[in-house]
Amino acid sequence: MPRLKNRSLLDHVLRDQAKKVLDRTPVQGWLKPDRVELNVRRVTLRKMRKPLSKAAADYLRVASNTQDAGTDESANAPTYRAEMEFVLEPPWSDLPTHANRVRPNPEILERFLLLATASDQQIQKFASSFGALLVFADIKKWRILPGKLVIVESCEIWRYFALSMRSLLRIASCFHADRKSDPTDWHQIGACPASLVPQTEKHRDLLSPTSWSGEEAWLAMAHFVRKGTDRDRQMWARLLNVLLQLGRVRPWLVWEGDGSLARPNLVFSGPNLLSYLALQLCLRASKHDAFAVCCYCNQPYTPLGRAPKTGQRNFCPDCRERGVPIRLAQRSRRERLREHT
C-alpha cells in the first residue's frame, strides 16, 4: 500500500476539513469478507462487453449521433484481467455472533484514493480488510458453503473508481476556488475500462429521473464526459449523485445491542464499503458540515465532537440544555432497580 504522504495530491482546503467532517457523521460498519482470492484470466473484450438496457442504449445512440454506442473497435482482442473473488456473508442475512466487522474511519477514504496507482496485490490486501465494492460485479451463490456469496470484481474497476473519486475531489477544489478545472481529471472519469459492465436490474426506482440502473447511469454520464461535453458543475453534481446511488447511500435505521437500554440509531450509509466511501467523498467535496439526529426530539443537529456510536443515545444541544440526558439516565436507573427487586 502506498504511503499516506501522497495525500498532498488532494486540495489542502478540502483535506484539512476531512477528519473533522468524517468523524462526526453517523455511519454503520459492515462485515469483512471471509476471504479474497486474486486470479488472472484471459478474456476477450466482446465477452466483457454486455449490452446496456434498451433505454440507455437508445439514449447514448441519440446523444452521440452514432449507429451503435456499444461497439468496440478492438472486439475479439485477447487480453488478461486481474480479478478478485470475494467469499462473504449475504448483506441481508443475520449477522453471526463471530462476525468480523469493519470499523469506519476517515483513513479508509484516503487509502482507497491511493489505489488509483496500486498493484493488483495491494488492491487485494485493501479489499481483504474492507470488503467488496458491490458494483459492476458478477454475483454468484456459493454452492459448497450454503448461504455464502461469491462476488467477482476486476482490479481495473477498483483503480478506475479510485482515480475517478480523486478526480472529482480535484474538480471540486477548482469549483470552490473559482478556477477552471483540469481537463485531465474529466478525461480520467470518462476513460471507463472495458470491464465496466452493468448488471441487469428488473425493478425501477419510481423516484429516479431516468429508467437506468445506477451502473447504467454512471456509464451514461462517463460517456458525455468522454465526449468533452457538459464538463461543468451540473455534470459534477450528477456524477456525485449517481455515485451515491451506486453506494446505496440513504438513511438507515439500525438497532443493535441487547436489553432495554438498546436504542435505534439513524445512520447515513449502508453496510458496505462503497456506501461509506461515497458519503465521505460527497461530504468532503461539497464542504458540507456533518449531521446527526437527536434520539429524543428526532431533529437533525451538528455534533460538537465525534459522531455517536451505533446503538448509543445521542442528544442535540437543546435537549442537553433541558436536562433530557440526565432525566432519561435516572429513568433507566429506576427501571433497572425495579427489575432486581
Side-chain angles (χ1 to χ4, degrees):
M1 180 66 60
R3 299 183 66 84
L4 293 181
K5 64 180 181 180
N6 293 331
R7 283 188 240 169
S8 58
L9 295 172
L10 303 179
D11 182 86
H12 70 281
V13 175
L14 300 179
R15 188 181 67 247
D16 289 346
Q17 292 187 353
K19 192 177 191 320
K20 177 183 68 175
V21 173
L22 305 189
D23 270 352
R24 291 159 49 187
T25 301
V27 295
Q28 60 177 315
W30 58 94
L31 288 177
K32 292 184 179 180
D34 292 349
R35 67 174 182 268
V36 181
E37 296 182 358
L38 181 64
N39 302 302
V40 179
R41 67 184 182 93
R42 182 176 178 176
V43 295
T44 60
L45 293 182
R46 173 168 292 180
K47 292 182 180 180
M48 292 164 63
R49 286 289 191 186
K50 296 181 182 178
L52 300 176
S53 69
K54 185 177 183 301
D58 291 343
Y59 187 74
L60 291 180
R61 183 166 56 251
V62 172
S64 60
N65 194 24
T66 61
Q67 295 298 318
D68 187 2
T71 59
D72 195 313
E73 296 180 356
S74 57
N76 290 326
T79 185
Y80 294 88
R81 186 173 69 187
E83 296 179 334
M84 292 180 293
E85 184 178 271
F86 296 80
V87 178
L88 67 163
E89 295 281 345
W92 55 85
S93 63
D94 293 333
L95 298 182
T97 55
H98 60 281
N100 192 6
R101 297 175 64 89
V102 176
R103 296 183 179 274
N105 66 81
E107 298 295 335
I108 296 179
L109 176 60
E110 294 289 346
R111 294 175 61 183
F112 179 78
L113 296 178
L114 297 178
L115 297 182
T117 57
S119 66
D120 297 335
Q121 290 74 20
Q122 289 172 329
I123 294 176
Q124 179 198 20
K125 182 178 179 180
F126 180 94
S128 299
S129 300
F130 301 109
L133 294 178
L134 301 182
V135 292
F136 297 101
D138 290 331
I139 304 176
K140 308 172 184 178
K141 290 186 178 180
W142 190 247
R143 297 180 180 178
I144 300 178
L145 298 175
K148 299 288 186 178
L149 283 181
V150 173
I151 309 294
V152 179
E153 298 179 352
S154 70
C155 292
E156 64 179 350
I157 288 180
W158 278 65
R159 291 192 190 92
Y160 168 73
F161 273 101
L163 192 60
S164 296
M165 290 185 185
R166 194 172 68 181
S167 296
L168 287 169
L169 280 178
R170 289 180 174 176
I171 294 171
S173 301
C174 296
F175 287 159
H176 288 302
D178 197 22
R179 64 177 185 266
K180 187 177 180 181
S181 57
D182 188 346
T184 302
D185 289 323
W186 290 103
H187 174 73
Q188 291 171 343
I189 297 174
C192 299
S195 56
L196 213 65
V197 179
Q199 296 292 324
T200 302
E201 295 187 8
K202 298 181 180 179
H203 304 288
R204 176 188 173 187
D205 183 1
L206 296 179
L207 296 179
S208 175
T210 70
S211 60
W212 309 335
S213 67
E215 295 179 351
E216 290 179 336
W218 180 272
L219 285 176
M221 297 300 103
H223 167 81
F224 290 115
V225 171
R226 184 168 60 253
K227 290 294 184 180
T229 59
D230 300 331
R231 292 185 174 184
D232 52 17
R233 294 183 181 181
Q234 286 73 24
M235 175 57 73
W236 175 82
R238 293 190 193 104
L239 287 166
L240 288 177
N241 282 323
V242 173
L243 186 63
L244 292 172
Q245 181 182 359
L246 283 174
R248 285 79 167 176
V249 178
R250 61 172 177 81
W252 292 74
L253 189 66
V254 295
W255 197 329
E256 298 179 351
D258 300 324
S260 60
L261 296 180
R263 293 291 186 273
N265 193 30
L266 189 65
V267 297
F268 298 93
S269 69
N272 60 299
L273 172 64
L274 185 58
S275 185
Y276 178 77
L277 293 174
L279 175 61
Q280 309 304 356
L281 179 80
C282 290
L283 284 172
R284 183 190 298 191
S286 62
K287 300 179 67 174
H288 197 284
D289 207 351
F291 50 87
V293 176
C294 178
C295 67
Y296 185 77
C297 66
N298 294 323
Q299 294 297 316
Y301 71 97
T302 299
L304 299 178
R306 294 179 62 89
K309 296 180 181 179
T310 301
Q312 183 183 64
R313 291 187 293 186
N314 59 288
F315 304 94
C316 65
D318 291 340
C319 288
R320 288 187 178 278
E321 186 176 351
R322 296 198 302 267
V324 172
I326 296 177
R327 294 203 307 270
L328 293 182
Q330 292 174 344
R331 182 188 304 173
S332 299
R333 180 175 179 275
R334 290 193 296 267
E335 290 177 356
R336 291 196 300 269
L337 291 176
R338 284 196 295 268
E339 291 176 356
H340 290 83
T341 56

PDB file of all heavy atoms in Angstrom, residues 46-74:
ATOM      1  N   ARG A  46     -15.111  -8.730 -26.383  1.00  0.00           N
ATOM      2  CA  ARG A  46     -16.503  -8.945 -26.767  1.00  0.00           C
ATOM      3  C   ARG A  46     -17.259  -9.623 -25.633  1.00  0.00           C
ATOM      4  O   ARG A  46     -18.404  -9.318 -25.347  1.00  0.00           O
ATOM      5  CB  ARG A  46     -16.577  -9.778 -28.040  1.00  0.00           C
ATOM      6  CG  ARG A  46     -17.986 -10.190 -28.410  1.00  0.00           C
ATOM      7  CD  ARG A  46     -18.081 -10.752 -29.806  1.00  0.00           C
ATOM      8  NE  ARG A  46     -17.828  -9.727 -30.810  1.00  0.00           N
ATOM      9  CZ  ARG A  46     -17.853  -9.937 -32.119  1.00  0.00           C
ATOM     10  NH1 ARG A  46     -18.091 -11.151 -32.585  1.00  0.00           N
ATOM     11  NH2 ARG A  46     -17.623  -8.948 -32.961  1.00  0.00           N
ATOM     12  N   LYS A  47     -16.621 -10.565 -24.962  1.00  0.00           N
ATOM     13  CA  LYS A  47     -17.273 -11.230 -23.840  1.00  0.00           C
ATOM     14  C   LYS A  47     -17.397 -10.301 -22.650  1.00  0.00           C
ATOM     15  O   LYS A  47     -18.307 -10.428 -21.842  1.00  0.00           O
ATOM     16  CB  LYS A  47     -16.481 -12.477 -23.445  1.00  0.00           C
ATOM     17  CG  LYS A  47     -16.527 -13.580 -24.489  1.00  0.00           C
ATOM     18  CD  LYS A  47     -15.760 -14.793 -24.018  1.00  0.00           C
ATOM     19  CE  LYS A  47     -15.811 -15.909 -25.067  1.00  0.00           C
ATOM     20  NZ  LYS A  47     -15.063 -17.108 -24.629  1.00  0.00           N
ATOM     21  N   MET A  48     -16.466  -9.367 -22.529  1.00  0.00           N
ATOM     22  CA  MET A  48     -16.516  -8.447 -21.407  1.00  0.00           C
ATOM     23  C   MET A  48     -17.613  -7.410 -21.582  1.00  0.00           C
ATOM     24  O   MET A  48     -18.129  -6.879 -20.609  1.00  0.00           O
ATOM     25  CB  MET A  48     -15.161  -7.746 -21.254  1.00  0.00           C
ATOM     26  CG  MET A  48     -14.036  -8.670 -20.812  1.00  0.00           C
ATOM     27  SD  MET A  48     -12.418  -7.957 -21.093  1.00  0.00           S
ATOM     28  CE  MET A  48     -12.482  -6.542 -20.043  1.00  0.00           C
ATOM     29  N   ARG A  49     -17.987  -7.117 -22.828  1.00  0.00           N
ATOM     30  CA  ARG A  49     -18.999  -6.109 -23.091  1.00  0.00           C
ATOM     31  C   ARG A  49     -20.381  -6.740 -23.124  1.00  0.00           C
ATOM     32  O   ARG A  49     -20.667  -7.582 -23.975  1.00  0.00           O
ATOM     33  CB  ARG A  49     -18.735  -5.421 -24.433  1.00  0.00           C
ATOM     34  CG  ARG A  49     -17.566  -4.452 -24.402  1.00  0.00           C
ATOM     35  CD  ARG A  49     -17.914  -3.215 -23.611  1.00  0.00           C
ATOM     36  NE  ARG A  49     -16.896  -2.193 -23.811  1.00  0.00           N
ATOM     37  CZ  ARG A  49     -16.887  -1.062 -23.150  1.00  0.00           C
ATOM     38  NH1 ARG A  49     -17.808  -0.788 -22.260  1.00  0.00           N
ATOM     39  NH2 ARG A  49     -15.939  -0.166 -23.376  1.00  0.00           N
ATOM     40  N   LYS A  50     -21.254  -6.352 -22.228  1.00  0.00           N
ATOM     41  CA  LYS A  50     -22.643  -6.768 -22.252  1.00  0.00           C
ATOM     42  C   LYS A  50     -23.489  -5.592 -22.706  1.00  0.00           C
ATOM     43  O   LYS A  50     -23.170  -4.447 -22.428  1.00  0.00           O
ATOM     44  CB  LYS A  50     -23.098  -7.230 -20.861  1.00  0.00           C
ATOM     45  CG  LYS A  50     -22.361  -8.458 -20.352  1.00  0.00           C
ATOM     46  CD  LYS A  50     -22.882  -8.861 -18.986  1.00  0.00           C
ATOM     47  CE  LYS A  50     -22.117 -10.058 -18.452  1.00  0.00           C
ATOM     48  NZ  LYS A  50     -22.576 -10.442 -17.104  1.00  0.00           N
ATOM     49  N   PRO A  51     -24.588  -5.856 -23.409  1.00  0.00           N
ATOM     50  CA  PRO A  51     -25.401  -4.742 -23.901  1.00  0.00           C
ATOM     51  C   PRO A  51     -26.082  -4.000 -22.766  1.00  0.00           C
ATOM     52  O   PRO A  51     -26.477  -4.595 -21.764  1.00  0.00           O
ATOM     53  CB  PRO A  51     -26.421  -5.436 -24.812  1.00  0.00           C
ATOM     54  CG  PRO A  51     -26.491  -6.840 -24.294  1.00  0.00           C
ATOM     55  CD  PRO A  51     -25.117  -7.168 -23.793  1.00  0.00           C
ATOM     56  N   LEU A  52     -26.221  -2.684 -22.938  1.00  0.00           N
ATOM     57  CA  LEU A  52     -26.976  -1.883 -21.990  1.00  0.00           C
ATOM     58  C   LEU A  52     -28.457  -2.156 -22.164  1.00  0.00           C
ATOM     59  O   LEU A  52     -28.885  -2.797 -23.117  1.00  0.00           O
ATOM     60  CB  LEU A  52     -26.687  -0.397 -22.207  1.00  0.00           C
ATOM     61  CG  LEU A  52     -25.239   0.055 -22.053  1.00  0.00           C
ATOM     62  CD1 LEU A  52     -25.135   1.532 -22.395  1.00  0.00           C
ATOM     63  CD2 LEU A  52     -24.729  -0.200 -20.655  1.00  0.00           C
ATOM     64  N   SER A  53     -29.256  -1.663 -21.249  1.00  0.00           N
ATOM     65  CA  SER A  53     -30.697  -1.762 -21.424  1.00  0.00           C
ATOM     66  C   SER A  53     -31.112  -0.953 -22.645  1.00  0.00           C
ATOM     67  O   SER A  53     -30.382  -0.076 -23.113  1.00  0.00           O
ATOM     68  CB  SER A  53     -31.409  -1.240 -20.177  1.00  0.00           C
ATOM     69  OG  SER A  53     -31.225   0.160 -20.060  1.00  0.00           O
ATOM     70  N   LYS A  54     -32.299  -1.218 -23.182  1.00  0.00           N
ATOM     71  CA  LYS A  54     -32.758  -0.542 -24.396  1.00  0.00           C
ATOM     72  C   LYS A  54     -32.837   0.968 -24.183  1.00  0.00           C
ATOM     73  O   LYS A  54     -32.449   1.752 -25.050  1.00  0.00           O
ATOM     74  CB  LYS A  54     -34.120  -1.085 -24.813  1.00  0.00           C
ATOM     75  CG  LYS A  54     -34.622  -0.520 -26.146  1.00  0.00           C
ATOM     76  CD  LYS A  54     -35.947  -1.145 -26.531  1.00  0.00           C
ATOM     77  CE  LYS A  54     -36.378  -0.627 -27.899  1.00  0.00           C
ATOM     78  NZ  LYS A  54     -36.519   0.820 -27.933  1.00  0.00           N
ATOM     79  N   ALA A  55     -33.310   1.391 -22.993  1.00  0.00           N
ATOM     80  CA  ALA A  55     -33.441   2.822 -22.724  1.00  0.00           C
ATOM     81  C   ALA A  55     -32.082   3.518 -22.723  1.00  0.00           C
ATOM     82  O   ALA A  55     -31.902   4.574 -23.322  1.00  0.00           O
ATOM     83  CB  ALA A  55     -34.148   3.045 -21.388  1.00  0.00           C
ATOM     84  N   ALA A  56     -31.100   2.903 -22.065  1.00  0.00           N
ATOM     85  CA  ALA A  56     -29.781   3.514 -22.003  1.00  0.00           C
ATOM     86  C   ALA A  56     -29.090   3.495 -23.361  1.00  0.00           C
ATOM     87  O   ALA A  56     -28.444   4.461 -23.756  1.00  0.00           O
ATOM     88  CB  ALA A  56     -28.917   2.797 -20.957  1.00  0.00           C
ATOM     89  N   ALA A  57     -29.216   2.377 -24.103  1.00  0.00           N
ATOM     90  CA  ALA A  57     -28.584   2.283 -25.409  1.00  0.00           C
ATOM     91  C   ALA A  57     -29.169   3.302 -26.376  1.00  0.00           C
ATOM     92  O   ALA A  57     -28.441   3.956 -27.132  1.00  0.00           O
ATOM     93  CB  ALA A  57     -28.738   0.869 -25.963  1.00  0.00           C
ATOM     94  N   ASP A  58     -30.499   3.450 -26.372  1.00  0.00           N
ATOM     95  CA  ASP A  58     -31.140   4.436 -27.248  1.00  0.00           C
ATOM     96  C   ASP A  58     -30.692   5.846 -26.894  1.00  0.00           C
ATOM     97  O   ASP A  58     -30.445   6.669 -27.776  1.00  0.00           O
ATOM     98  CB  ASP A  58     -32.667   4.321 -27.157  1.00  0.00           C
ATOM     99  CG  ASP A  58     -33.183   3.026 -27.765  1.00  0.00           C
ATOM    100  OD1 ASP A  58     -32.415   2.390 -28.520  1.00  0.00           O
ATOM    101  OD2 ASP A  58     -34.340   2.663 -27.487  1.00  0.00           O
ATOM    102  N   TYR A  59     -30.592   6.117 -25.596  1.00  0.00           N
ATOM    103  CA  TYR A  59     -30.191   7.450 -25.158  1.00  0.00           C
ATOM    104  C   TYR A  59     -28.773   7.786 -25.610  1.00  0.00           C
ATOM    105  O   TYR A  59     -28.499   8.857 -26.129  1.00  0.00           O
ATOM    106  CB  TYR A  59     -30.298   7.532 -23.642  1.00  0.00           C
ATOM    107  CG  TYR A  59     -30.080   8.924 -23.084  1.00  0.00           C
ATOM    108  CD1 TYR A  59     -31.058   9.900 -23.229  1.00  0.00           C
ATOM    109  CD2 TYR A  59     -28.919   9.242 -22.425  1.00  0.00           C
ATOM    110  CE1 TYR A  59     -30.869  11.169 -22.717  1.00  0.00           C
ATOM    111  CE2 TYR A  59     -28.711  10.509 -21.909  1.00  0.00           C
ATOM    112  CZ  TYR A  59     -29.705  11.469 -22.055  1.00  0.00           C
ATOM    113  OH  TYR A  59     -29.502  12.724 -21.555  1.00  0.00           O
ATOM    114  N   LEU A  60     -27.872   6.833 -25.449  1.00  0.00           N
ATOM    115  CA  LEU A  60     -26.492   7.071 -25.857  1.00  0.00           C
ATOM    116  C   LEU A  60     -26.375   7.182 -27.374  1.00  0.00           C
ATOM    117  O   LEU A  60     -25.581   7.970 -27.888  1.00  0.00           O
ATOM    118  CB  LEU A  60     -25.596   5.935 -25.352  1.00  0.00           C
ATOM    119  CG  LEU A  60     -25.382   5.859 -23.835  1.00  0.00           C
ATOM    120  CD1 LEU A  60     -24.470   4.696 -23.504  1.00  0.00           C
ATOM    121  CD2 LEU A  60     -24.807   7.152 -23.304  1.00  0.00           C
ATOM    122  N   ARG A  61     -27.159   6.405 -28.122  1.00  0.00           N
ATOM    123  CA  ARG A  61     -27.077   6.444 -29.572  1.00  0.00           C
ATOM    124  C   ARG A  61     -27.542   7.794 -30.103  1.00  0.00           C
ATOM    125  O   ARG A  61     -26.932   8.380 -31.002  1.00  0.00           O
ATOM    126  CB  ARG A  61     -27.909   5.320 -30.176  1.00  0.00           C
ATOM    127  CG  ARG A  61     -27.814   5.255 -31.698  1.00  0.00           C
ATOM    128  CD  ARG A  61     -28.350   3.945 -32.236  1.00  0.00           C
ATOM    129  NE  ARG A  61     -29.708   3.698 -31.815  1.00  0.00           N
ATOM    130  CZ  ARG A  61     -30.081   2.773 -30.932  1.00  0.00           C
ATOM    131  NH1 ARG A  61     -29.171   2.027 -30.357  1.00  0.00           N
ATOM    132  NH2 ARG A  61     -31.345   2.603 -30.604  1.00  0.00           N
ATOM    133  N   VAL A  62     -28.639   8.322 -29.546  1.00  0.00           N
ATOM    134  CA  VAL A  62     -29.139   9.619 -29.983  1.00  0.00           C
ATOM    135  C   VAL A  62     -28.178  10.731 -29.582  1.00  0.00           C
ATOM    136  O   VAL A  62     -27.883  11.641 -30.363  1.00  0.00           O
ATOM    137  CB  VAL A  62     -30.540   9.883 -29.395  1.00  0.00           C
ATOM    138  CG1 VAL A  62     -30.978  11.301 -29.695  1.00  0.00           C
ATOM    139  CG2 VAL A  62     -31.540   8.884 -29.960  1.00  0.00           C
ATOM    140  N   ALA A  63     -27.658  10.666 -28.353  1.00  0.00           N
ATOM    141  CA  ALA A  63     -26.792  11.732 -27.860  1.00  0.00           C
ATOM    142  C   ALA A  63     -25.477  11.794 -28.622  1.00  0.00           C
ATOM    143  O   ALA A  63     -24.944  12.871 -28.880  1.00  0.00           O
ATOM    144  CB  ALA A  63     -26.520  11.548 -26.369  1.00  0.00           C
ATOM    145  N   SER A  64     -24.939  10.632 -28.987  1.00  0.00           N
ATOM    146  CA  SER A  64     -23.644  10.618 -29.670  1.00  0.00           C
ATOM    147  C   SER A  64     -23.781  10.621 -31.183  1.00  0.00           C
ATOM    148  O   SER A  64     -22.784  10.681 -31.889  1.00  0.00           O
ATOM    149  CB  SER A  64     -22.852   9.379 -29.236  1.00  0.00           C
ATOM    150  OG  SER A  64     -23.572   8.209 -29.562  1.00  0.00           O
ATOM    151  N   ASN A  65     -25.030  10.522 -31.679  1.00  0.00           N
ATOM    152  CA  ASN A  65     -25.302  10.550 -33.121  1.00  0.00           C
ATOM    153  C   ASN A  65     -24.535   9.450 -33.847  1.00  0.00           C
ATOM    154  O   ASN A  65     -23.934   9.646 -34.899  1.00  0.00           O
ATOM    155  CB  ASN A  65     -24.943  11.910 -33.710  1.00  0.00           C
ATOM    156  CG  ASN A  65     -25.526  12.091 -35.118  1.00  0.00           C
ATOM    157  OD1 ASN A  65     -26.525  11.432 -35.455  1.00  0.00           O
ATOM    158  ND2 ASN A  65     -24.921  12.943 -35.901  1.00  0.00           N
ATOM    159  N   THR A  66     -24.529   8.272 -33.233  1.00  0.00           N
ATOM    160  CA  THR A  66     -23.877   7.119 -33.834  1.00  0.00           C
ATOM    161  C   THR A  66     -24.885   6.009 -34.000  1.00  0.00           C
ATOM    162  O   THR A  66     -25.974   6.033 -33.420  1.00  0.00           O
ATOM    163  CB  THR A  66     -22.719   6.619 -32.950  1.00  0.00           C
ATOM    164  OG1 THR A  66     -23.239   6.221 -31.675  1.00  0.00           O
ATOM    165  CG2 THR A  66     -21.680   7.702 -32.754  1.00  0.00           C
ATOM    166  N   GLN A  67     -24.529   5.007 -34.786  1.00  0.00           N
ATOM    167  CA  GLN A  67     -25.433   3.897 -35.027  1.00  0.00           C
ATOM    168  C   GLN A  67     -25.368   2.860 -33.920  1.00  0.00           C
ATOM    169  O   GLN A  67     -26.311   2.148 -33.680  1.00  0.00           O
ATOM    170  CB  GLN A  67     -25.088   3.228 -36.378  1.00  0.00           C
ATOM    171  CG  GLN A  67     -25.319   4.151 -37.561  1.00  0.00           C
ATOM    172  CD  GLN A  67     -26.774   4.547 -37.677  1.00  0.00           C
ATOM    173  OE1 GLN A  67     -27.677   3.732 -37.504  1.00  0.00           O
ATOM    174  NE2 GLN A  67     -27.014   5.822 -37.963  1.00  0.00           N
ATOM    175  N   ASP A  68     -24.241   2.764 -33.265  1.00  0.00           N
ATOM    176  CA  ASP A  68     -24.080   1.733 -32.237  1.00  0.00           C
ATOM    177  C   ASP A  68     -23.134   2.252 -31.183  1.00  0.00           C
ATOM    178  O   ASP A  68     -21.933   2.284 -31.379  1.00  0.00           O
ATOM    179  CB  ASP A  68     -23.539   0.431 -32.838  1.00  0.00           C
ATOM    180  CG  ASP A  68     -23.516  -0.702 -31.817  1.00  0.00           C
ATOM    181  OD1 ASP A  68     -23.953  -0.471 -30.678  1.00  0.00           O
ATOM    182  OD2 ASP A  68     -23.084  -1.808 -32.183  1.00  0.00           O
ATOM    183  N   ALA A  69     -23.698   2.676 -30.030  1.00  0.00           N
ATOM    184  CA  ALA A  69     -22.854   3.259 -28.979  1.00  0.00           C
ATOM    185  C   ALA A  69     -22.055   2.219 -28.233  1.00  0.00           C
ATOM    186  O   ALA A  69     -21.141   2.540 -27.494  1.00  0.00           O
ATOM    187  CB  ALA A  69     -23.731   4.021 -27.978  1.00  0.00           C
ATOM    188  N   GLY A  70     -22.407   0.929 -28.397  1.00  0.00           N
ATOM    189  CA  GLY A  70     -21.725  -0.094 -27.618  1.00  0.00           C
ATOM    190  C   GLY A  70     -20.653  -0.844 -28.370  1.00  0.00           C
ATOM    191  O   GLY A  70     -20.101  -1.802 -27.869  1.00  0.00           O
ATOM    192  N   THR A  71     -20.352  -0.460 -29.613  1.00  0.00           N
ATOM    193  CA  THR A  71     -19.344  -1.177 -30.370  1.00  0.00           C
ATOM    194  C   THR A  71     -17.962  -0.870 -29.853  1.00  0.00           C
ATOM    195  O   THR A  71     -17.695   0.197 -29.329  1.00  0.00           O
ATOM    196  CB  THR A  71     -19.429  -0.816 -31.858  1.00  0.00           C
ATOM    197  OG1 THR A  71     -19.250   0.591 -31.996  1.00  0.00           O
ATOM    198  CG2 THR A  71     -20.768  -1.224 -32.439  1.00  0.00           C
ATOM    199  N   ASP A  72     -17.067  -1.789 -30.050  1.00  0.00           N
ATOM    200  CA  ASP A  72     -15.685  -1.627 -29.613  1.00  0.00           C
ATOM    201  C   ASP A  72     -14.777  -2.030 -30.761  1.00  0.00           C
ATOM    202  O   ASP A  72     -14.883  -3.132 -31.303  1.00  0.00           O
ATOM    203  CB  ASP A  72     -15.402  -2.512 -28.383  1.00  0.00           C
ATOM    204  CG  ASP A  72     -14.119  -2.120 -27.690  1.00  0.00           C
ATOM    205  OD1 ASP A  72     -13.113  -1.941 -28.386  1.00  0.00           O
ATOM    206  OD2 ASP A  72     -14.147  -1.999 -26.458  1.00  0.00           O
ATOM    207  N   GLU A  73     -13.887  -1.134 -31.173  1.00  0.00           N
ATOM    208  CA  GLU A  73     -13.027  -1.391 -32.315  1.00  0.00           C
ATOM    209  C   GLU A  73     -12.108  -2.576 -32.079  1.00  0.00           C
ATOM    210  O   GLU A  73     -11.654  -3.219 -33.019  1.00  0.00           O
ATOM    211  CB  GLU A  73     -12.200  -0.133 -32.621  1.00  0.00           C
ATOM    212  CG  GLU A  73     -13.055   1.056 -33.048  1.00  0.00           C
ATOM    213  CD  GLU A  73     -12.205   2.272 -33.332  1.00  0.00           C
ATOM    214  OE1 GLU A  73     -10.976   2.181 -33.117  1.00  0.00           O
ATOM    215  OE2 GLU A  73     -12.761   3.299 -33.762  1.00  0.00           O
ATOM    216  N   SER A  74     -11.823  -2.868 -30.826  1.00  0.00           N
ATOM    217  CA  SER A  74     -10.901  -3.957 -30.525  1.00  0.00           C
ATOM    218  C   SER A  74     -11.629  -5.218 -30.105  1.00  0.00           C
ATOM    219  O   SER A  74     -11.143  -5.976 -29.290  1.00  0.00           O
ATOM    220  CB  SER A  74      -9.920  -3.520 -29.432  1.00  0.00           C
ATOM    221  OG  SER A  74     -10.622  -3.119 -28.275  1.00  0.00           O
TER     222      SER A  74
END
